[in-house]
Amino acid sequence: MSMLQRLDAADALPGAAELRARTYDLLRLEPGAAVIDVGCGAGLAVSELSARGFRAVGADLSTEMIDEAHRRWPEGDFLLGDAYALPVDGGFAGYRADKVFHELAEPELALAEARRVLAPGGRIVLSGPDWEGLMIDSSYPALTREIVRARASEVAAPRIARGFRRLLDGCGFRDVEVEGVVGFLSGEPFLRGLVEVAVRVGAISVAEGDLWLAEQVDGVAVPQFLASGIV
């Protein structure tokens, strides 16, 4: 499954649309305000923010994603650029990054860039999963812990979402608020992907992976954190 297919699947999960809408609400934007969506992927959030009457700009490190965003939303404003060096000037009222910061090795540098592009009083909203907090019903708890640890090891900062408050406070943002929700990831491709990672890094054997997969029916509960603050 390609990255684009994984993103589309995540956007279609139950509760995903409501979670996106909550991040938009937390921006508390006035009509016509400018907002940048960092790590915009194929542009769904930019499209939805524009439909709400905001001047939305999307930025992504992937040329493939930017090309796809232009294809899907030809009227949208999409730019190639990463979180450390956004290709925009300042003056934005809102900054949104969803499922981005766990991929960053230097989140403080990304937040310094967020402060640069936000106007005084502008709001930041971060959203993301806690990859070490996956909750899975299994009669093989020790095996499950190895699978979860293996998946988290593939992420640059698997625990960063639980530390959003400390991160934003430490980088000078004011009035930081954090809330948590639980999402669900399911389906054979996702579960098999967890096992394949664990086998690849040597955490479990192929036989153990098959044993674990055979009893999985409910999928994975994923803690997600949403944080907001003011520059």
Side-chain angles (χ1 to χ4, degrees):
M1 183 181 291
S2 70
M3 175 60 74
L4 182 58
Q5 289 172 320
R6 289 198 294 270
L7 290 176
D8 284 343
D11 286 336
L13 286 170
E18 291 78 7
L19 184 62
R20 289 196 306 276
R22 181 58 182 155
T23 66
Y24 309 155
D25 292 341
L26 288 171
L27 288 166
R28 299 177 190 170
L29 298 171
E30 298 292 331
V35 56
I36 185 164
D37 186 47
V38 178
C40 66
L44 178 58
V46 170
S47 169
E48 292 177 339
L49 285 163
S50 297
R52 288 186 172 215
F54 308 127
R55 292 185 291 116
V57 175
D60 201 284
L61 184 62
S62 167
T63 301
E64 177 191 6
M65 292 298 174
I66 292 299
D67 289 346
E68 181 64 16
H70 281 299
R71 188 189 71 79
R72 294 185 182 188
W73 321 104
E75 301 302 317
D77 191 356
F78 302 102
L79 304 171
L80 187 66
D82 67 32
Y84 303 129
L86 294 168
V88 294
D89 297 325
F92 284 85
Y95 172 110
R96 177 185 181 272
D98 177 37
K99 298 186 289 293
V100 171
F101 270 65
H102 64 257
E103 299 288 356
L104 301 181
E106 299 179 282
E108 293 84 1
L109 293 182
L111 289 180
E113 182 69 347
R115 291 180 63 87
R116 180 187 71 82
V117 302
L118 281 169
R123 293 184 61 84
I124 185 171
V125 172
L126 306 180
S127 174
D130 187 319
W131 284 106
E132 282 195 355
L134 303 186
M135 293 173 283
I136 305 171
D137 180 30
S138 172
S139 56
Y140 305 103
L143 190 55
T144 300
R145 283 193 293 272
E146 291 302 319
I147 290 170
V148 171
R149 276 197 289 264
R151 180 62 182 87
S153 74
E154 296 280 285
V155 179
R159 299 178 300 278
I160 197 166
R162 69 179 74 173
F164 277 161
R165 180 186 298 278
R166 173 176 46 80
L167 182 63
L168 289 172
D169 280 338
C171 290
F173 287 88
R174 301 180 289 109
D175 299 336
V176 176
E177 299 177 355
V178 179
E179 54 191 69
V181 298
V182 176
F184 289 89
L185 295 175
S186 61
E188 196 272 343
F190 174 73
L191 294 168
R192 183 163 295 279
L194 290 179
V195 167
E196 288 173 352
V197 169
V199 170
R200 185 175 71 246
V201 303
I204 65 172
S205 69
V206 172
E208 287 173 325
D210 289 341
L211 179 69
W212 185 84
L213 275 174
E215 71 155 15
Q216 286 302 306
V217 293
D218 290 330
V220 180
V222 185
Q224 301 190 68
F225 294 89
L226 293 80
S228 60
I230 302 172
V231 72

